[in-house]
């Protein structure tokens, strides 16, 4: 409710109607004039905007919600379902703790129900103590909910109570009468509360009581939503349903208003599958700053520093209309309906007057795609609702099926590619929306199929249909939903920050004593104010000093803030207020995208530039600096909204993960240190930001969290993957920001231990950096291509096991492989291309050939052998006959092996077969082509590395200085916040030592290599060790801009940045450990990076111990190379083995088809298959093939044996377990053996039921079954002449009593 509405007569409304026109260009029309167009459609899209009275934040009444989450913890929820519930509860409680509008109570119920007791600090521990078990008691849960109902919480009135009720089954404790009385009492308690009550239900698995839950959703004053999922929807399906429902509830904060719309004449409003004259649509209340006072960078940063001021408030609503005359202006009556805070049941109606009208014609390709998606989304939601209604009413779905097929065709025909003006970002958004629509359509296809199978009224179909009705409610983009949650959570934080700022006191004596050097350094080039001016200005208590950056933000920065890519780090200091003014001015003049770039990682688009620094470098982002304690107190109060805007372009968009951005930027700054960039000015900025990060760790209590991440990275391979450490630069920032005591706990107090552990850390860091670079370079590359590259690195060009062996003469080994590797890596072109053999395993082997023949003699032997194996032949007089049969059977098996065995393999088909010798690989053998391939691969990886491998030397130098010198920040604080000259000198000296070590390696290697050996390489001209290399725009750099023209910033924003000496992986490894076997180590690191380039492979290898370190010795390096070689050999061998197995299957299948007796068929079957695998299904396909001309002997018996797994009660296949074919396959069997024979087999299949032994008490389980009333399917009951079960009695769940075959699976 907005204050001031009672005093207004009418609200002014502006209306916009969009219509599609395929011929004309886009135009806008106003007033009474009709359009000069003959091709616009009658179905058009109406957008209404009603202006409300000017308001402040306090004028909008936000809804206070009492949320009660009721979760089933009975024994049937054990395992993954219960883990999903716990994970969802942790998320929901965590989000509710900081939300002032939601009070959350959690009830866990099984046989008994209890309220979860938790606090803001211990809820994770409390959740970890919860276990699943017991029965399901709904009545107990309702009783506990009723005890929590209230109208006031913490002296705040409750506007609405929302109940989320989740179960996977039926009530197994209460009788029907008890449950009926309990639900009646529960409904009465809800209705008597006096405010709005909504009950949402979530059903999990096909065993839940659908009718009960759907009725439960109507128990409140407003009907709730029903969500449904089952285990087959995926491991996280239940978690997603619960979290989506919570997100939806938390987004409804009171900023809504209903719009009652009436349209006159023959025009109609488009409803859910019907046309209406009057309808009520939901409107959203939004607040904007007035044009003359608009702070276009976000409300929160202004709110943190200034008093509240009036804002412009609007109600926006949208709907579809159908116009009889598409060119006319419809006559509409509009009322805005607002809930009254005093009486929740009453709504105040405010008349609205349309003061402006526009019609916009959609003609551009981009707009047409948006229009098509809007139509598709609406039609999908309408069809889903109609579909659910039809299924529940047992209606005719034939028409709906046609509509579904038409909808599918329109989805397939949506033009995404080939249109001009379609950006990559827009195309990805379109594809994501199409994927969402297609998911709903797939669900409807699945429901249609189940309905046609006769399961139209099953629990699963009805529940799925009901769930689909509400799917449209959750179709908002994830970023918008999560941002709404964050904003509502962070509004209170902004108010707290405002109060903190107003109470801060500046140490004026200290500020006035700041040195002249500090005042000149901490000087804003935009406002011309120094740090003293900023701190002593009492009118702007939110101003503070910082530095500029230029960044690009990807869309997934919402989940991973350190995914931001830094274009450059400016050497220009800027105050916060001056930066805000620059943002506001640039947004007003050029718009948002030109100012900050939005969420766009397209490198072809221009970089958003807010302003330029002293070196003409672009600036579009800003971070604060620690100058002194008084300044830090300001920074600390506003750090969260600052990071929220830095990452999400919304000060209210802060999330705790964004703290990592501070350390990521610090690590990036450190990584750019080299002899060319390590100037006094840049080092002073670096140390000032270093001090800021150290204070952040201390004052925001991050020490333990950061320590654990660094420790796990060093000590365990499982702590290094991207899901644990998203950005490796963050680690560098962590290490130098930790307190000295904590650093000593991690790396040791003595210099020797610290040096050893640091060496281990840097080697691990380099390996992980290389592996992630391989992930970027080969993300969508086929494994066969990667295997071809590995083959050349391991064996050389033309020498590998996967390549054509045309080169018979082995390459001579290099006498100085280390020098050759260093030189080639240093000279290879940056735009290198790699030519490698694409490995196709089938190319490495020749498929074996077998001769298909049938022998009556073998048939007879198989008949006798099978009967003997099954115990049918027990007469000792037939022992000789059985022995002779065994001999013939063994001879038949050996003949097959001989047919498929290569000449150099004696026993290819036996289970004990071993692959060819794997120890022939020589890790120390290095040839010229191997080094050449390795150098090109490393250059490609370096081109795709982020974090950049070239940044590691700067990190090594700075960390070495900081951890060995341990200067502490007291010296910096006593020097007016300026880094002492001794610090900058020692950093420069450390950088010089590291780069000197690498330079010496390059020079000595070049002297050792014969220049003639480099002729065949596509090298650059000989370069000095400090030749600059060109980097991609993602690289972080201190840029040196010198252009004076007015458009210089945009031109420079598009060009690539050049910086620093040319750094290669061998140089980095040598700088980390000069004593390591460089060639062996680099080859092993590269092979490991290629093999484990994906994060999923790396995680699996880390758990299995295959993600190795190479910081000491050669053992791990040799093992890695040997395993890579073995893997290539095994791939080739496994392909051959599969072809051999397939050939033997084909031979045996042929004999089985021709077998003249059932026992002969069993003999072939038992000698070939133990389970129903690939060869078995080949046999089934042949049996049911329409192309076969000759009849198959004993066809019915053979089909029966294959499906039952037994012959004459003897187990012959798959341990005697039956196989129930799908309906389509069953029809194929019926065609080939006849209806009567198939009916007999089908009855036998259904009869293979083992009765489960129920509890001794004979108390029925939740399905109503016990020892005296076991579950037997109706189909079998009918065949056996037993009374049928009523339809309302459900069959068993996945974990119910039905057991097929000999195997009892629990």
């Amino acid at each position: 409710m907005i204050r001031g509405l009672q005093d207004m007569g009418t609200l002014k409304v502006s209306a916009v109607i969009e219509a599609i026109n395929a011929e004309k260009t886009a135009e806008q029309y106003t007033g009474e004039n009709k359009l000069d167009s003959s091709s616009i459609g009658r179905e058009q899209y109406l957008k209404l905007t009603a202006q409300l009275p000017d308001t402040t934040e306090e004028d909008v009444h936000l809804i206070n919600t009492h949320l009660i989450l009721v979760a089933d913890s009975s024994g049937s929820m054990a395992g993954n379902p219960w883990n999903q519930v716990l994970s969802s509860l942790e998320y929901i409680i965590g989000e509710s703790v900081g939300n002032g509008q939601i009070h959350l109570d959690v009830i866990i119920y099984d046989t008994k129900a209890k309220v979860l007791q938790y606090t803001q600090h211990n809820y994770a521990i409390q959740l970890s103590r919860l276990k699943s078990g017991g029965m399901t008691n709904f009545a107990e849960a309702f009783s506990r909910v009723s005890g929590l109902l209230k109208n006031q919480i913490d002296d705040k009135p409750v506007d609405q109570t929302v109940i989320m009720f989740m179960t996977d089954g039926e009530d197994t404790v209460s009788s029907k009468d008890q449950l009926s009385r309990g639900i009646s009492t529960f409904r009465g308690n809800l209705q008597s509360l006096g405010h709005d009550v909504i009950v949402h239900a979530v059903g999990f698995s096909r065993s839940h009581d659908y009718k009960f839950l759907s009725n439960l959703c109507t128990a409140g004053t407003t009907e709730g939503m029903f969500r449904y999922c089952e285990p087959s929807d995926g491991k996280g399906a239940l978690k997603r349903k619960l979290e989506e429902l919570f997100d939806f509830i938390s987004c409804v904060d009171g900023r809504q208003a209903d719009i009652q719309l009436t349209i006159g004449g023959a025009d109609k409003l488009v409803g859910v599958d019907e046309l209406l004259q009057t309808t009520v649509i939901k409107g959203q209340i939004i607040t904007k700053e007035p044009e003359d006072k608009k702070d276009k960078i976000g409300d929160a940063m202004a709110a943190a520093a200034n008093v509240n001021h009036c804002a412009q408030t609007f109600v926006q609503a949208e709907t579809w209309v159908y116009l009889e005359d598409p060119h006319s202006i419809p006559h509409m009556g509009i009322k805005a309906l607002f809930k009254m805070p005093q009486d929740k049941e009453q709504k105040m109606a405010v008349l609205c007057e349309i003061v402006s009208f526009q019609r916009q014609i959609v003609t551009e390709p981009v707009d047409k795609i948006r229009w098509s998606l809007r139509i598709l989304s609406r039609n999908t939601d309408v069809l889903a609702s109609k579909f659910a209604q039809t299924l529940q009413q047992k209606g005719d779905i034939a028409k709906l099926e046609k509509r579904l097929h038409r909808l599918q065709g329109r989805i397939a025909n949506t033009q995404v590619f080939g249109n001009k003006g379609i950006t990559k970002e827009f195309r990805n958004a379109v594809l994501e929306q199409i994927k969402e629509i297609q998911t709903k359509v797939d669900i409807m296809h699945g429901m249609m199929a189940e309905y046609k199978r006769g399961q139209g009224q099953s629990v699963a179909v009805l529940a799925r249909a009901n769930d689909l009705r509400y799917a449209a409610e959750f179709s908002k983009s994830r970023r918008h939903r999560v941002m709404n949650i964050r904003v509502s959570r962070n509004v209170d934080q902004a108010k707290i920050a405002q109060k903190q700022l107003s109470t801060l006191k500046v140490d004026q004596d200290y500020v006035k004593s700041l040195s002249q050097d500090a005042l000149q350094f901490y000087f804003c080039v935009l406002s011309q104010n120094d740090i003293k001016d900023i701190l002593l200005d009492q009118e702007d208590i939110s101003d503070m000093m910082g530095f500029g950056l230029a960044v690009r933000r990807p869309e997934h920065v919402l989940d991973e803030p350190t995914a931001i890519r830094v274009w450059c780090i400016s050497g220009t200091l800027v105050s916060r207020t001056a930066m805000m003014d620059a943002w506001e001015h640039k947004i007003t003049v050029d718009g948002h995208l030109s100012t900050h770039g939005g969420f766009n990682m397209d490198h072809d688009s221009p970089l958003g530039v807010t302003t330029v620094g002293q070196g003409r470098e672009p600036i579009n982002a800003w971070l604060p600096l620690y100058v002194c304690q008084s300044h830090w107190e300001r920074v600390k109060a506003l750090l969260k909204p600052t990071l929220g805007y830095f990452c999400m372009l919304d000060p209210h968009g802060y999330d705790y993960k964004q703290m990592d951005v501070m350390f990521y930027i610090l690590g990036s700054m450190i990584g750019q240190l080299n002899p060319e960039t390590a100037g006094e000015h840049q080092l002073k900025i670096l140390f000032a930001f270093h001090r800021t990060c150290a204070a952040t760790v201390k004052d925001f209590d991050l020490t333990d969290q950061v320590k654990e991440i660094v420790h796990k990275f060093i000590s365990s391979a499982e702590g290094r993957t991207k899901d644990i450490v998203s950005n490796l630069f963050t680690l560098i920032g962590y290490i130098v920001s930790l307190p000295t005591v904590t650093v000593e706990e991690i790396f040791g107090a003595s210099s020797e231990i610290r040096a050893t552990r640091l060496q281990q850390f840097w080697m691990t860091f380099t390996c992980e950096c290389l592996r992630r670079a391989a992930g970027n370079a080969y993300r969508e590359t086929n494994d066969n291509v990667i295997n071809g590259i590995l083959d050349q690195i391991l064996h050389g060009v033309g020498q590998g096991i996967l390549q054509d062996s045309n080169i018979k003469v082995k390459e001579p080994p290099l006498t100085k492989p280390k020098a050759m590797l260093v030189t080639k890596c240093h000279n290879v072109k940056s735009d290198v291309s790699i030519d490698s053999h694409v490995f196709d395993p089938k190319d490495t082997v020749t498929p074996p050939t077998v001769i298909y023949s049938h022998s009556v003699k073998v048939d007879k032997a198989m008949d006798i052998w099978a009967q003997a194996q099954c115990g049918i032949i027990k007469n000792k007089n037939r022992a000789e006959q059985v022995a002779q049969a065994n001999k013939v059977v063994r001879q038949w098996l050996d003949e097959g092996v001989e047919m498929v065995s290569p000449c150099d393999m004696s026993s290819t088909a036996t289970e004990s077969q071993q692959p060819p010798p794997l120890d022939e690989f020589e890790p120390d053998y290095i040839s010229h082509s191997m080094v050449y391939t390795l150098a090109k691969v490393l250059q490609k990886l370096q081109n795709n590395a982020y974090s950049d491998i070239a940044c590691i030397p700067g990190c090594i130098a700075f960390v070495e200085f900081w951890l060995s010198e341990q200067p502490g920040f007291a010296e910096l604080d006593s020097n007016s916040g300026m880094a002492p000259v001794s610090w900058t000198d020692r950093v420069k000296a450390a950088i010089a030592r590291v780069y000197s070590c690498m330079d010496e390696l390059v020079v000595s290697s070049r002297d050792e290599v014969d220049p003639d050996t480099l002729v065949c390489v596509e090298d650059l001209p000989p370069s000095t060790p400090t030749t600059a290399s060109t980097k991609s725009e993602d690289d972080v750099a201190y840029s040196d801009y010198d252009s004076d023209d007015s458009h210089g910033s945009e031109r420079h924003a598009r060009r690539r940045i050049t910086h620093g000496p040319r750094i290669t992986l061998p140089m980095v490894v040598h700088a980390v450990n000069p004593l390591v076997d460089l060639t062996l180590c680099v080859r092993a690191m590269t092979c490991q990076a290629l093999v484990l380039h994906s994060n999923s492979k790396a995680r699996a290898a880390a758990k299995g111990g295959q993600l190795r370190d190479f910081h000491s010795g050669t053992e791990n390096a040799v093992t890695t190379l040997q395993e890579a070689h073995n893997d290539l050999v095994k791939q080739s061998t496994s392909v051959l083995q599969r072809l051999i197995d397939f050939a033997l299957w084909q031979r045996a299948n042929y004999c089985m088809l021709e077998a003249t007796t059932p026992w002969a068929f069993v003999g072939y079957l038992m000698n070939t298959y133990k389970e129903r695998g690939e060869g078995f299904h080949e046999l089934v396909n042949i049996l049911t093939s329409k192309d076969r001309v000759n009849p198959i002997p004993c066809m019915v018996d053979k089909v029966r044996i294959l499906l039952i797994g037994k012959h004459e009660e003897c187990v012959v296949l798959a341990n005697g377990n039956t196989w129930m074919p799908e309906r389509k396959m069953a029809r194929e069997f019926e065609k080939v053996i006849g209806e009567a024979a198939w009916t007999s087999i089908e009855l036998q299949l259904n009869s293979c039921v083992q009765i489960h032994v129920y509890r001794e008490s004979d108390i029925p389980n939740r399905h109503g079954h016990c020892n005296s009333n076991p579950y037997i399917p109706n189909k079998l009951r009918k065949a056996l002449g037993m009374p049928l079960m009523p339809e309302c009695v459900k069959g068993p769940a996945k974990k119910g009593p039905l057991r097929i075959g000999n195997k009892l699976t629990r």
Side-chain angles (χ1 to χ4, degrees), residues 1240-1294:
S1240 173
I1241 293 176
E1242 190 176 28
L1243 178 60
Q1244 190 174 354
L1245 283 173
N1246 291 324
S1247 301
C1248 291
V1249 178
Q1250 295 189 350
I1251 302 302
H1252 179 76
V1253 178
Y1254 298 87
R1255 59 186 70 152
E1256 295 181 3
S1257 63
D1258 208 34
I1259 297 176
N1261 64 10
R1262 65 180 181 179
H1263 308 291
H1265 302 304
C1266 53
N1267 287 324
S1268 60
N1269 181 32
Y1271 171 75
I1272 299 175
N1274 271 344
K1275 190 171 184 178
L1276 182 57
R1277 286 173 178 263
K1278 184 177 181 180
L1280 298 176
M1282 298 174 63
L1284 302 182
M1285 293 187 297
E1287 291 186 3
C1288 61
V1289 179
K1290 311 293 191 301
K1294 187 175 180 180

Side-chain angles (χ1 to χ4, degrees), residues 388-432:
Q389 181 182 357
T390 304
L391 288 182
Q392 291 167 352
Q393 297 175 356
K394 301 182 181 180
D396 183 10
I397 64 169
K399 293 182 179 179
L400 296 181
E401 186 176 14
K402 293 180 180 179
R403 288 174 61 177
L404 184 61
H405 289 310
R406 286 200 301 269
L407 181 62
Q408 181 66 74
R410 289 169 184 164
I411 295 173
N413 292 329
T414 302
Q415 295 295 323
V416 181
F417 300 94
N419 291 313
K420 294 182 179 179
I422 304 297
T423 65
K424 181 179 179 181
E425 181 184 16
F426 177 77
R427 183 167 58 250
N428 290 339
V430 169
L431 292 174
E432 189 65 29

Side-chain angles (χ1 to χ4, degrees), residues 56 138 297 435 444 727 731 830 886 892 907 939 1001 1030 1088:
T56 63
F138 292 161
I297 67 166
K435 181 180 178 181
M444 285 188 277
N727 194 301
L731 278 174
S830 60
N886 289 342
W892 181 81
S907 181
Q939 184 58 49
L1001 173 69
T1030 301
Q1088 177 170 277

Side-chain angles (χ1 to χ4, degrees), residues 773-1051:
N776 294 334
Y778 295 103
R779 179 180 291 111
E780 299 178 357
T781 304
N782 188 286
D783 284 345
N784 291 343
V785 175
I786 297 176
N787 287 335
I789 297 172
L790 280 170
D791 194 22
Q792 292 186 184
I793 294 176
L794 292 169
H795 310 105
V797 176
Q799 306 288 328
I801 58 174
L802 309 183
Q803 306 167 54
D804 296 331
S805 301
N806 296 328
I807 304 176
K808 303 299 182 181
V809 180
K810 190 173 184 178
E811 278 189 278
L814 293 173
T815 57
K816 297 179 179 179
K818 174 181 174 181
M820 181 64 74
L821 176 63
V822 172
T823 305
K824 283 188 180 292
C825 286
H826 196 260
N827 290 347
V828 73
K829 286 184 177 181
S830 60
D831 57 346
V832 65
S833 62
I834 303 171
D835 298 324
S836 63
H837 176 83
V838 177
F839 169 53
D840 185 350
K842 293 182 180 179
D843 293 342
T844 64
V845 296
T846 302
T849 56
V850 294
I851 300 173
Y852 300 152
S853 62
H854 174 252
S855 168
V856 176
K857 177 182 177 182
V858 176
D859 266 13
K860 292 180 179 179
M862 286 290 179
D863 189 305
I864 296 171
W865 179 88
Q867 293 187 61
Q869 290 293 313
C870 294
I872 301 298
I873 299 178
K874 299 180 179 179
N875 192 337
K876 295 182 179 180
N877 295 330
R878 299 186 64 181
E880 183 177 350
Q881 186 182 15
V882 171
Q884 186 63 31
N886 289 342
K887 183 177 180 181
V888 173
V889 170
R890 173 50 53 189
Q891 183 179 357
W892 181 81
L893 293 173
D894 291 342
E895 287 176 355
V897 172
E898 291 176 3
M899 288 180 187
V900 299
S901 297
C903 59
D904 59 342
M905 298 176 66
S906 59
S907 181
T908 309
T910 61
E911 294 182 1
S912 61
Q913 175 204 358
Q914 297 295 324
L918 300 176
D919 56 358
E920 298 177 355
F921 178 65
E922 303 174 26
D924 296 328
Y925 166 71
I926 307 292
S927 67
H928 184 279
S929 62
M930 293 159 65
V931 171
Y932 181 31
T933 302
L934 183 59
K936 293 198 293 183
V937 170
L938 289 176
Q939 184 58 49
K940 179 172 181 176
L941 297 187
Q942 191 155 346
N943 291 342
N944 289 273
Y946 194 88
S947 307
D948 193 350
I949 294 171
C951 294
I952 298 177
C955 296
I956 294 173
F958 188 87
V959 173
E960 176 190 334
F961 152 74
W962 188 254
L963 268 59
S964 60
E965 301 286 347
Q966 297 184 351
F969 290 107
E971 191 174 352
L972 185 145
D973 294 341
S974 64
N975 194 39
S976 299
M978 300 276 288
V981 176
S982 60
W983 287 21
T984 58
D985 289 344
R986 281 181 281 174
V987 172
K988 292 178 183 178
I991 294 172
R993 285 195 301 272
V994 173
Y995 276 81
S996 175
C997 176
M998 295 189 296
D999 284 352
E1000 291 174 2
L1001 173 69
V1002 174
V1003 173
S1004 62
S1005 298
R1006 185 174 296 145
D1007 292 340
E1008 293 180 24
V1009 174
D1010 182 356
D1012 293 340
T1013 62
L1014 299 177
V1015 173
C1016 66
V1017 188
E1018 298 174 314
D1019 294 335
L1020 290 172
S1023 58
T1024 63
T1026 56
T1027 300
S1029 63
T1030 301
K1031 307 307 293 177
S1032 69
E1033 67 176 6
D1034 280 346
D1035 293 327
V1036 185
Y1038 296 117
S1039 305
D1040 184 16
Y1041 285 84
D1042 54 10
S1043 173
D1044 293 327
D1045 65 282
S1046 59
H1047 301 287
S1049 62
E1050 293 186 10
R1051 189 175 69 249

Side-chain angles (χ1 to χ4, degrees), residues 69-194:
L69 198 157
V70 190
D72 184 353
S73 64
S74 60
S76 57
M77 287 290 294
N80 181 55
W82 183 240
N83 291 335
Q84 291 186 63
V85 172
L86 291 179
S87 179
S88 298
L89 287 176
E90 184 171 0
Y91 167 78
I92 292 171
I93 295 175
E95 294 294 323
S96 300
V97 165
N99 193 328
Q101 270 62 59
I102 293 182
H103 177 83
L104 174 67
D105 283 314
V106 178
I107 295 175
I108 307 297
Y109 74 97
D110 41 61
T111 308
K112 298 291 184 181
K114 62 181 180 181
V115 179
L116 180 66
Q117 303 297 328
Y118 68 91
T119 66
Q120 179 179 354
H121 306 288
N122 73 349
Y123 66 85
I125 297 174
Q126 294 294 92
L127 289 173
S128 66
R129 294 172 179 170
L130 297 176
K131 306 296 180 185
S132 60
M135 304 176 74
T136 305
N137 190 344
F138 292 161
E140 180 72 14
F142 295 149
S143 175
R144 189 66 68 176
V145 172
S146 297
L148 292 177
L149 298 175
K150 56 194 71 175
N151 283 304
Q152 194 170 30
I153 298 176
D154 296 335
D155 298 328
K156 292 196 301 185
V158 175
D159 296 306
Q160 67 173 3
T161 295
V162 180
I163 300 169
M164 290 172 57
F165 191 91
M166 190 283 299
T167 184
D168 74 329
E170 303 172 342
D171 193 316
T172 57
V173 175
S174 309
S175 66
K176 289 186 177 179
D177 290 340
Q178 289 174 326
L179 187 58
S180 177
R181 289 195 298 271
I183 192 67
S184 177
T185 302
F186 179 64
R187 186 185 294 270
N189 293 336
L190 298 182
Q191 299 287 341
S192 63
L193 265 179

Side-chain angles (χ1 to χ4, degrees), residues 533-660:
D533 300 327
I534 291 172
L535 289 175
L536 297 181
D537 185 0
Q538 295 301 311
E539 295 183 1
D540 190 0
I541 59 175
S542 65
D543 200 10
M544 49 193 179
M545 188 65 72
F547 65 102
L549 310 88
V551 301
R552 285 187 184 274
R553 299 172 182 87
E555 183 71 23
H556 60 278
V557 72
L558 173 74
D559 299 309
E560 189 43 67
T562 57
I564 287 176
R565 290 294 179 259
V566 182
W567 176 286
C568 75
I569 299 173
S570 172
T572 302
L573 298 189
V574 187
S575 72
R576 172 183 174 274
T577 299
M579 193 66 197
M580 291 171 63
D581 291 341
W583 276 321
E584 180 178 351
H585 171 72
K586 190 64 185 287
I587 290 173
T588 303
V589 175
D590 293 334
H592 287 272
L593 291 181
S594 296
T595 304
H596 49 60
F599 298 90
N600 182 13
M601 285 293 288
D602 187 356
H603 294 174
D604 295 329
S605 63
L607 180 74
V609 179
T610 305
T611 185
V612 294
Q614 290 175 303
R616 305 296 295 168
E617 73 274 14
I619 297 175
N620 63 15
W622 179 90
L623 285 175
L625 292 172
Y626 186 111
V627 181
C628 60
Q629 186 63 34
S630 295
H631 186 263
W632 168 244
E633 293 300 327
R634 288 190 184 182
V635 172
K636 185 166 60 173
L638 293 177
L639 185 58
K640 291 182 179 180
T642 298
L643 290 175
Y645 188 76
F646 183 90
C647 297
M648 298 303 304
L649 300 175
D650 186 339
H652 280 158
Y654 170 75
D655 184 73
Y656 71 95
K657 290 182 181 180
Q658 292 170 6
M659 279 293 178
D660 281 346

